[in-house]
Amino acid sequence: MKDCVKKTKDRILQIETIVQALPNTVPGEFRVTFNYKGRKSINIASEVLARLTDDSSVVFDPFFGSGSFILAAANTKAKEIIGTELDQYSYFAFHSLVLKTDYDKLNNYFQYIKKTVYDQIMSLYQTECCGSVNYISKLLFDPANGEEGLFNPVPNREIQNHENVKLVAACPYCGKKSKRFDEKDLQKIKSLDSFDTSRFPNTEYIENSRINITKETGANKYDKIFVKRSKIALLLIQDAINSIPNCNERDLLENALVSTLSLARIAMYGSATDILYHVLKEKAQETNVWLLFEEKYKNFVNFKKAHPEFQIDENDARIKLFRADYATFINAHPEIKADIIYTDFPYTDQVPYLERNQLYRVWLETFYDKKTFALTKQMLDEEIVLTNAPSRQNKNTIESYCRDLDNMFSQLSKAIRPDGLAVFTLNLGKEKYFKIYLEIMNLARKNGFEFVHSITLKKNDPTLKKQSSKTNTLSHEQIVFFQKLSDDNAYFYLNEMNYEFEITKFVYRQVTKAGANGVSISAAVQGIIDNLLQTHKIVANTKIIEKIRRIIQSNFSCIHGFVFLDENRLYLTIEDDDLLFAKLYNLVPLYIKKLLKTHNKFLLEDIYQELTTSLCDGNPKTIEQVLANDEHQKAIEKLIKNYCTIQDGYFVERKAETVPCENAIDISTLSGTEFEQLIKNLLTAEGYEDVLVVGGSGDLGVDLIAKKNENACIFQCKRWNANVGSTPIQRLYTELTLHKYYKAFCITTSDYTEDGKKEAKLCGVEIINGLQTIELLNKHFPGRYFNGAITIR
């Protein structure tokens, strides 16, 4: 992480506690308006925005969709709120919901529609119970079974005593609000054959099997999932709306009608409105279209009246909404420099909105405004999505999706000021976490952003069994924060190459070759300058040289003008997998300690979150390779169990009986530097003199030098949880013989592998394991330290 974002992270950490205490829910009156998948909590977004903005702030949502974040921003003091939306239906639905309305005018138009079509529509649903005229509100039936499916549908909890017709009013004789489908009801349905519904759309949808639009089932045809009665009723209401003059109130009524389509179709019994394209064979429902329309109309009015603060004027100077592709808009408005971009991250195949919203868009294109609501090739090309639609081959690979994300970050970087924040809600789902999440971080860095922090919102079950079955699973919604870096602090990319990683690799090799003495910073910088000229034909100017120097200093330990490896850093794709995992494994206790200190509890995925943000290269393939190993996965799970137990759905600190006192320090959770300092104190207590912390030499050299009886000894300190192998012993022996020290010691918090023990015996290196380290510490500092890695089982 860049140093320049640490202050920002501190601010966000203050927000985190507040946000996580709020329910992650969508207001009920907002949820029952138009049907939009993926709406977010307005209250949570309002809290975040209120603490990151002031009365001079500009907020920009480039994919405003359901408008959750526009409404959240409206609750703040932000000076200006800008939103763009590619999908015409989403724009139309939200715009009509928040645009100021003349309620008298709206009510008059609704009453006109009711007077015009109510009797006709209700006659379509006329029935009888005990000889008394009544009307159907819902019919439960099995479409594939013809008349038998009407008379005797498959039982479900709504069908009591075979009564599959739900009535608008209770029967005045039997008092029931349900009855059994009968012969008169069948004749009513057959009588509708004479109605002309040829105007009803029979458009073919874009296929997508993940949202059930398939040619095999017939779901690719618009009219396949509507019964004749629904078609007639929908057309009657639409004709009445079309006879009203163009105005905002007419748009609202149209939107209310379009919102009924999800249940006006042949819907799954107990259907959720986001399951749109099933062609059902049984357990279906047909719902009275007028009742649906009237309910939606009331929902829209109730929302608008309940939230007058969200109602904006057509010429509102503060809230500005545009039906536009975000990139086109940004390029057309270079003057916009937002303080914060707050939006829903463009999802992969979970929600291909242009395909999902075809049900609504086709209706609007057919009956309301063909030009405005046409789904164009340009729109399909502009959508950021991963889809399995056969007709969208340019959007069906992770590579194409990542190219779109690359362009997105590039465009957003133009629309945000330096140090501004890009905030995304993100829920990647199973089997996409590490590959996509790390690619997102990499692409953000490439385009001038740095990851700051993430806040997990939905936390349900952290158990290892459920969450560890896949190493690349992220099941909970997050708010992810990126900061726009200044040009001086931006990551160093050459075209598609993260040259910072190339610098790290180059210097890593130099330091490895140099051994314990390290490499001078000037020599390391000069090596990069030469590489730029020879390999990339770039002459390094003063600005580039200073950037090279900063990169080296942020990725290595630099002491007295020399560069050493930082043993707490993961040099991914540079080190071999075993060494890499050992170092990664050794960091897990530090993350546990950090999470428990900050939150008193955590989820397994929080540990993975910490791992991913520790990477020095942002390459999504590297950590996948390490964690894909089942043995590595099991080792991490076992290690967490050492320190934690599960309580109320979270990992919490395990209270070990062997801990000597409440304030005792667990040496297995110390940083490498802290452990070196502790061993320095121990050596002093043991009678050593002139104890010097060399520091920064990592695995290649010596951590401590000390004298006893005028004999200089060297010490390697391994604050590890993985067992120490032969390689560190060999390196320590090399330093012993090269500089003719008297004796060499390796001290660890863990233990040694068999190879490590053999090598130590062969080389004459003294090894001290975790138990022995605690014994020595208790000898001089009784009760002050314990070793959680080996004492907690």
Side-chain angles (χ1 to χ4, degrees):
M1 179 182 291
K2 298 281 187 179
D3 291 339
C4 59
V5 306
K6 289 182 179 177
K7 289 184 179 178
T8 305
K9 183 172 181 177
D10 291 339
R11 291 176 63 197
I12 294 169
L13 286 173
Q14 293 173 8
I15 296 171
E16 183 169 19
T17 304
I18 298 168
V19 166
Q20 289 187 328
L22 296 173
N24 186 16
T25 56
V26 178
E29 66 272 18
F30 188 42
R31 193 168 55 249
V32 297
T33 53
F34 69 99
N35 307 311
Y36 199 90
K37 189 174 177 64
R39 284 169 294 202
K40 298 299 183 291
S41 169
I42 296 172
N43 288 338
I44 287 177
S46 295
E47 289 290 341
V48 174
L49 285 167
R51 285 163 173 76
L52 295 176
T53 59
D54 55 34
D55 56 9
S56 66
S57 299
V58 176
V59 179
F60 177 36
D61 184 347
F63 316 106
F64 73 70
S66 65
S68 300
F69 302 138
I70 299 295
L71 299 181
N75 282 332
T76 71
K77 297 178 181 179
K79 178 183 71 174
E80 187 175 10
I81 303 161
I82 303 168
T84 59
E85 175 52 48
L86 174 66
D87 178 35
Q88 319 99 313
Y89 164 68
S90 299
Y91 174 86
F92 174 71
F94 180 69
H95 191 253
S96 65
L97 183 67
V98 299
L99 209 59
K100 282 185 178 177
T101 300
D102 182 329
Y103 291 110
D104 290 336
K105 188 177 179 181
L106 178 64
N107 182 59
N108 288 338
Y109 284 148
F110 176 76
Q111 294 303 326
Y112 162 75
I113 294 170
K114 187 170 185 177
K115 181 179 179 180
T116 303
V117 302
Y118 178 79
D119 290 341
Q120 289 176 272
I121 293 175
M122 293 306 288
S123 70
L124 301 173
Y125 297 95
Q126 185 172 317
T127 187
E128 290 184 6
C129 184
C130 301
S132 174
V133 173
N134 211 316
Y135 298 93
I136 297 171
S137 65
K138 186 189 295 182
L139 171 63
L140 303 168
F141 69 115
D142 299 331
N145 294 335
E147 292 182 10
E148 180 63 21
L150 293 165
F151 286 100
N152 296 294
V154 174
N156 60 59
R157 68 175 180 269
E158 279 201 38
I159 301 175
Q160 303 294 327
N161 301 318
H162 302 285
E163 294 174 349
N164 60 317
V165 176
K166 305 299 177 181
L167 302 172
V168 171
C171 175
Y173 297 102
C174 68
K176 294 182 178 180
K177 287 198 72 173
S178 63
K179 52 160 276 187
R180 189 168 185 173
F181 187 88
D182 58 30
E183 188 63 33
K184 285 187 177 180
D185 294 320
L186 178 62
Q187 293 308 311
K188 167 61 73 173
I189 289 175
K190 289 183 176 180
S191 72
L192 303 180
D193 289 343
S194 60
F195 282 80
D196 180 13
T197 56
S198 58
R199 294 185 296 137
F200 201 86
N202 62 355
T203 305
E204 287 195 6
Y205 292 130
I206 296 171
E207 290 185 64
N208 185 322
S209 62
R210 291 197 182 103
I211 54 175
N212 304 301
I213 306 178
T214 55
K215 185 178 293 185
E216 293 75 14
T217 62
N220 66 320
K221 281 294 194 75
Y222 192 95
D223 59 346
K224 181 72 174 180
I225 55 176
F226 291 90
V227 299
K228 186 71 174 268
R229 182 154 44 196
S230 295
K231 292 179 181 179
I232 297 167
L234 289 166
L235 288 171
L236 286 170
I237 297 174
Q238 183 63 66
D239 288 344
I241 291 174
N242 283 349
S243 66
I244 296 171
N246 288 333
C247 59
N248 296 338
E249 291 71 24
R250 180 193 183 213
D251 285 347
L252 189 67
L253 290 164
E254 179 67 22
N255 196 24
L257 175 61
V258 172
S259 295
T260 70
L261 292 171
S262 58
L263 290 178
R265 75 198 197 286
I266 302 171
M268 183 186 299
Y269 153 69
S271 175
T273 55
D274 61 344
I275 303 173
L276 299 179
Y277 299 104
H278 278 298
V279 176
L280 299 173
K281 295 182 178 181
E282 60 182 34
K283 292 188 178 181
Q285 63 184 35
E286 175 205 347
T287 309
N288 186 310
V289 169
W290 176 262
L291 299 182
L292 290 173
F293 173 66
E294 187 168 34
E295 181 182 15
K296 281 295 182 182
Y297 166 74
K298 290 177 180 178
N299 289 341
F300 273 70
V301 173
N302 289 341
F303 177 85
K304 292 173 76 69
K305 288 187 175 180
H307 296 284
E309 72 276 16
F310 294 153
Q311 305 305 300
I312 63 175
D313 188 85
E314 190 80 71
N315 300 312
D316 196 298
R318 181 173 180 244
I319 302 177
K320 301 170 183 175
L321 305 177
F322 300 88
R323 211 304 291 170
D325 165 56
Y326 80 101
T328 304
F329 176 82
I330 289 171
N331 288 322
H333 296 275
E335 74 282 0
I336 292 177
K337 290 291 180 281
D339 297 278
I340 183 166
I341 292 172
Y342 201 122
T343 193
D344 218 1
F345 200 85
Y347 288 141
T348 55
D349 56 346
Q350 296 177 46
V351 189
Y353 285 108
L354 293 183
E355 293 164 23
R356 182 189 181 275
N357 290 340
Q358 290 178 96
L359 177 69
Y360 313 117
R361 193 186 301 100
V362 167
W363 184 271
L364 290 164
E365 181 184 6
T366 304
F367 296 112
Y368 209 60
D369 190 331
K370 184 175 182 64
K371 183 177 179 181
T372 297
F373 293 100
L375 181 57
T376 65
K377 181 181 182 302
Q378 181 178 346
M379 288 174 59
L380 292 169
D381 288 341
E382 289 169 341
E383 185 182 24
I384 303 174
V385 71
L386 176 64
T387 173
N388 74 344
S391 61
R392 303 185 70 186
Q393 294 294 314
N394 64 330
K395 299 286 182 177
N396 66 4
T397 66
I398 290 290
E399 290 71 25
S400 64
Y401 175 65
C402 289
R403 282 196 297 272
D404 284 345
L405 294 184
D406 188 6
N407 183 60
M408 178 195 74
F409 279 113
S410 173
Q411 297 296 334
L412 295 184
S413 70
K414 301 176 186 176
I416 191 168
R417 64 168 178 78
D419 297 325
L421 289 175
V423 184
F424 301 95
T425 57
L426 182 62
N427 193 335
L428 292 171
K430 294 182 179 179
E431 300 192 16
K432 292 189 174 67
Y433 174 48
F434 284 113
K435 184 172 180 61
I436 297 297
Y437 189 80
L438 288 174
E439 190 62 49
I440 288 169
M441 290 180 64
N442 186 44
L443 294 172
R445 288 170 171 174
K446 176 185 174 184
N447 290 286
F449 293 91
E450 173 64 306
F451 170 82
V452 181
H453 189 58
S454 67
I455 299 174
T456 302
L457 297 181
K458 295 181 181 178
K459 296 191 172 184
N460 301 316
D461 188 352
T463 60
L464 294 168
K465 182 177 178 181
K466 292 190 176 182
Q467 287 199 44
S468 297
S469 58
K470 295 289 184 182
T471 61
N472 52 358
T473 295
L474 175 66
S475 57
H476 301 294
E477 184 175 286
Q478 292 186 313
I479 307 175
V480 184
F481 299 80
F482 292 94
Q483 182 169 318
K484 177 66 164 62
L485 301 172
S486 66
D487 289 343
D488 287 341
N489 288 315
Y491 279 84
F492 191 0
Y493 273 76
L494 295 179
N495 298 319
E496 302 300 312
M497 179 194 297
N498 182 349
Y499 195 67
E500 294 207 10
F501 182 50
E502 298 303 312
I503 291 173
T504 304
K505 284 198 294 186
F506 188 89
V507 176
Y508 182 96
R509 295 190 188 102
Q510 284 185 303
V511 174
T512 303
K513 186 177 180 180
N517 294 324
V519 174
S520 70
I521 292 178
S522 59
V525 171
Q526 188 59 50
I528 302 303
I529 293 171
D530 294 343
N531 177 266
L532 276 173
L533 181 60
Q534 294 167 11
T535 306
H536 303 284
K537 311 303 180 190
I538 294 174
V539 177
N541 56 28
T542 303
K543 189 174 182 180
I544 291 176
I545 293 172
E546 184 55 36
K547 184 181 284 285
I548 292 169
R549 185 179 294 273
R550 284 201 302 268
I551 292 168
I552 293 172
Q553 291 171 339
S554 65
N555 284 286
F556 297 89
S557 293
C558 296
I559 301 172
H560 305 307
F562 283 81
V563 182
F564 304 92
L565 294 186
D566 180 349
E567 72 170 13
N568 290 320
R569 178 170 288 277
L570 304 179
Y571 294 101
L572 297 179
T573 74
I574 301 172
E575 298 170 317
D576 64 81
D577 282 354
D578 288 339
L579 177 58
L580 180 59
F581 178 71
K583 293 176 72 173
L584 181 150
Y585 183 74
N586 293 331
L587 291 175
V588 170
L590 304 186
Y591 301 145
I592 293 172
K593 178 182 177 182
K594 172 185 173 184
L595 291 167
L596 290 175
K597 182 179 179 180
T598 307
H599 305 294
N600 298 316
K601 57 187 179 181
F602 64 91
L603 297 172
L604 179 65
E605 65 187 37
D606 293 328
I607 291 291
Y608 289 146
Q609 181 77 39
E610 293 293 330
L611 294 178
T612 59
T613 56
S614 297
L615 310 185
C616 68
D617 69 332
N619 186 335
K621 297 178 181 178
T622 51
I623 198 169
E624 279 187 294
Q625 294 167 354
V626 175
L627 293 181
N629 184 308
D630 289 341
E631 293 305 313
H632 292 169
Q633 180 76 27
K634 291 175 183 176
I636 290 177
E637 294 175 12
K638 183 178 179 181
L639 185 58
I640 294 175
K641 288 180 181 178
N642 272 359
Y643 296 93
C644 300
T645 186
I646 294 173
Q647 180 180 309
D648 298 328
Y650 293 88
F651 287 117
V652 298
E653 184 177 4
R654 181 190 293 275
K655 301 300 181 183
E657 295 179 359
T658 54
V659 174
C661 66
E662 184 179 351
N663 297 320
I665 296 170
D666 183 353
I667 65 170
S668 72
T669 63
L670 297 176
S671 69
T673 301
E674 289 170 337
F675 185 59
E676 289 170 6
Q677 187 61 48
L678 176 61
I679 299 305
K680 176 185 178 182
N681 296 339
L682 176 61
L683 292 178
T684 300
E686 279 281 296
Y688 284 85
E689 299 175 339
D690 300 327
V691 184
L692 174 66
V693 178
V694 176
S697 58
D699 294 332
L700 295 175
V702 177
D703 293 319
L704 300 171
I705 301 174
K707 289 182 180 180
K708 200 166 191 180
N709 300 325
E710 298 300 320
N711 295 315
C713 302
I714 55 174
F715 299 81
Q716 177 71 284
C717 302
K718 292 295 186 187
R719 201 292 301 151
W720 278 19
N721 288 82
N723 290 336
V724 180
S726 60
T727 302
I729 304 297
Q730 291 167 351
R731 291 171 177 168
L732 190 57
Y733 176 69
T734 299
E735 297 303 310
L736 175 68
T737 56
L738 181 64
H739 297 285
K740 296 181 172 54
Y741 289 111
Y742 177 68
K743 203 153 194 173
F745 297 82
C746 185
I747 305 175
T748 183
T749 53
S750 58
D751 201 352
Y752 297 88
T753 65
E754 289 304 315
D755 285 344
K757 293 174 183 178
K758 289 178 183 177
E759 191 68 28
K761 186 175 182 180
L762 181 65
C763 297
V765 172
E766 293 284 339
I767 55 176
I768 300 171
N769 65 24
L771 283 173
Q772 293 166 324
T773 302
I774 281 295
E775 289 174 0
L776 287 169
L777 287 168
N778 282 332
K779 173 183 171 183
H780 298 285
F781 315 108
R784 288 176 58 182
Y785 300 96
F786 71 102
N787 190 336
I790 57 177
T791 59
I792 302 174
R793 297 296 179 191

